[in-house]
Amino acid sequence: MIDRYKSMTIEEILMTPKPASLLYAWQQVGNNEDPEALVRGHINQDQILTDLLLAFTGTVDSSNRGRYETLNRDSLAGFLDYEAARERIKAIASRATDSEMVRIAKRLDVAFEDGSK
């Protein structure tokens, strides 16, 4: 199983139904270094970063706020630097020329904010 994970590209992982679950499973059966190295080696690409963050986004159902998304520091800790990713998302939201990328970055920025409360 570990060999299968190691042979996958980041794009292949992101195309699975639950990329975050796959990365967590890889950590549990192997070691933290391999999945972290794969993620860190590709998050310099805005699209990969946003796709990964979307995969790690959780949903909260609250009686007073309704449904909202969060990005939790603990969920991301084994894969990337939370604060650096948060700052990158803010930068992407302010500089991206693709309206879809801006929309996603703003959504992720709100999820970071809600996840830090």
Side-chain angles (χ1 to χ4, degrees):
M1 185 182 302
I2 294 173
D3 290 337
R4 182 173 154 232
Y5 292 148
K6 285 182 178 184
S7 71
M8 295 179 79
T9 65
I10 194 72
E11 291 82 6
E12 290 170 330
I13 290 172
L14 289 170
M15 290 188 321
T16 65
K18 295 186 177 182
S21 295
L22 188 149
L23 289 166
Y24 287 135
W26 186 2
Q27 279 183 329
Q28 291 174 352
V29 299
N31 63 48
N32 290 350
E33 295 169 7
D34 292 335
E36 180 181 5
L38 180 67
V39 168
R40 287 183 184 259
H42 290 87
I43 57 173
N44 60 324
Q45 301 170 54
D46 291 348
Q47 188 67 55
I48 298 289
L49 176 63
T50 58
D51 288 349
L52 275 165
L53 291 174
L54 287 170
F56 281 93
T57 300
T59 303
V60 175
D61 289 310
S62 167
S63 59
N64 63 338
R65 270 191 74 189
R67 180 174 281 190
Y68 61 96
E69 295 177 313
T70 64
L71 276 165
N72 185 291
R73 181 182 303 273
D74 293 338
S75 299
L76 297 170
F79 302 102
L80 51 82
D81 181 303
Y82 182 87
E83 290 301 328
R86 190 173 183 176
E87 291 306 311
R88 278 269 310 287
I89 289 301
K90 287 182 184 296
I92 292 167
S94 67
R95 70 167 160 71
T97 56
D98 175 12
S99 62
E100 180 65 9
M101 180 63 76
V102 170
R103 186 188 68 74
I104 291 169
K106 287 181 178 180
R107 175 180 159 196
L108 290 168
D109 188 34
V110 171
F112 269 117
E113 182 64 31
D114 287 338
S116 65
K117 293 180 181 176

